[in-house]
Amino acid sequence: AQSVTQLGSHVSVSEGALVLLRCNYSSSVPPYLFWYVQYPNQGLQLLLKYTSAATLVKGINGFEAEFKKSETSFHLTKPSAHMSDAAEYFCAVGYSGNTPLVFGKGTRLSVIA
Amino acid sequence: SQTIHQWPATLVQPVGSPLSLECTVEGTSNPNLYWYRQAAGRGLQLLFYSVGIGQISSEVPQNLSASRPQDRQFILSSKKLLLSDSGFYLCAWSSSSYNSPLHFGNGTRLTVT
């Protein structure tokens, strides 16, 4: 079965520091991968998606993620954290058009001034 | 452009009362539709998804049900709410094509008292 593991349910960084949120997936077929962000009491917003065109994917709000097949990873990074980045982040993996995405349990990012 | 509407935004219902949450999508045809739930401090739980009118797949057995009476309308219902039904309910849509992301509504905060 497909699965997604997000290491760390809570990550705390200082404002201006590097943000690294980890995501590993299990798959026997080439996956497509997504990162979503959720602010309190809101729906999930798509940050970026990997669809095999390029291994380094740039998203909104300065975030990017790199697909590493050998490590089955799709970690999310941002060079310099901003207070507005504080939110819940979800990694998701998909395999076909009509099969629901599989979501990780989420990582809550706190940014300290 | 496509939009997704979900209402109400908040709802307080007594135990044993019925529930009806509605979700509609505009600007696309034959979308895949989804209902998710987030309990406090927990990740996303897929409840139902639909790839067409009258086609509903249930992921978790419970006292909730879903219906898709029209192509772009998805309804989540319950005949008798339980305390454990409290949570944040999210509707989402995607196209049926490969690597299509999910697009989420703003959610409904349900409190069962």
Side-chain angles (χ1 to χ4, degrees), chain B residues 59-77:
Chain B
E59 293 294 300
V60 182
Q62 56 207 332
N63 69 320
L64 299 173
S65 62
S67 61
R68 184 171 178 172
Q70 300 180 42
D71 180 46
R72 291 169 291 174
Q73 184 184 29
F74 206 25
I75 298 172
L76 182 69
S77 304

Side-chain angles (χ1 to χ4, degrees), chain A residues 92-111:
Chain A
V93 61
Y95 301 89
S96 68
N98 285 336
T99 303
L101 298 183
V102 177
F103 281 85
K105 294 186 182 300
T107 297
R108 183 162 60 91
L109 175 67
S110 297
V111 181

Side-chain angles (χ1 to χ4, degrees), chain B:
Chain B
S1 62
Q2 303 91 355
T3 55
I4 179 169
H5 302 280
Q6 187 181 344
W7 67 93
T10 60
L11 191 60
V12 180
Q13 292 283 97
V15 168
S17 64
L19 172 74
S20 181
L21 301 181
E22 189 164 342
C23 172
T24 60
V25 180
E26 296 177 356
T28 187
S29 60
N30 196 31
N32 292 344
L33 297 171
Y34 308 83
W35 279 110
Y36 286 87
R37 177 171 64 194
Q38 279 183 301
R42 301 181 67 177
L44 288 166
Q45 180 186 30
L46 178 62
L47 301 175
F48 303 93
Y49 70 97
S50 170
V51 299
I53 295 175
Q55 300 178 61
I56 309 293
S57 296
S58 174
E59 293 294 300
V60 182
Q62 56 207 332
N63 69 320
L64 299 173
S65 62
S67 61
R68 184 171 178 172
Q70 300 180 42
D71 180 46
R72 291 169 291 174
Q73 184 184 29
F74 206 25
I75 298 172
L76 182 69
S77 304
S78 174
K79 293 182 179 179
K80 289 185 178 181
L81 284 169
L82 306 173
L83 285 174
S84 58
D85 291 323
S86 293
F88 192 52
Y89 289 81
L90 290 160
C91 182
W93 75 271
S94 71
S95 76
S96 58
S97 62
Y98 177 77
N99 74 38
S100 173
L102 289 180
H103 305 277
F104 286 84
N106 288 328
T108 296
R109 174 73 59 191
L110 172 66
T111 303
V112 181
T113 60

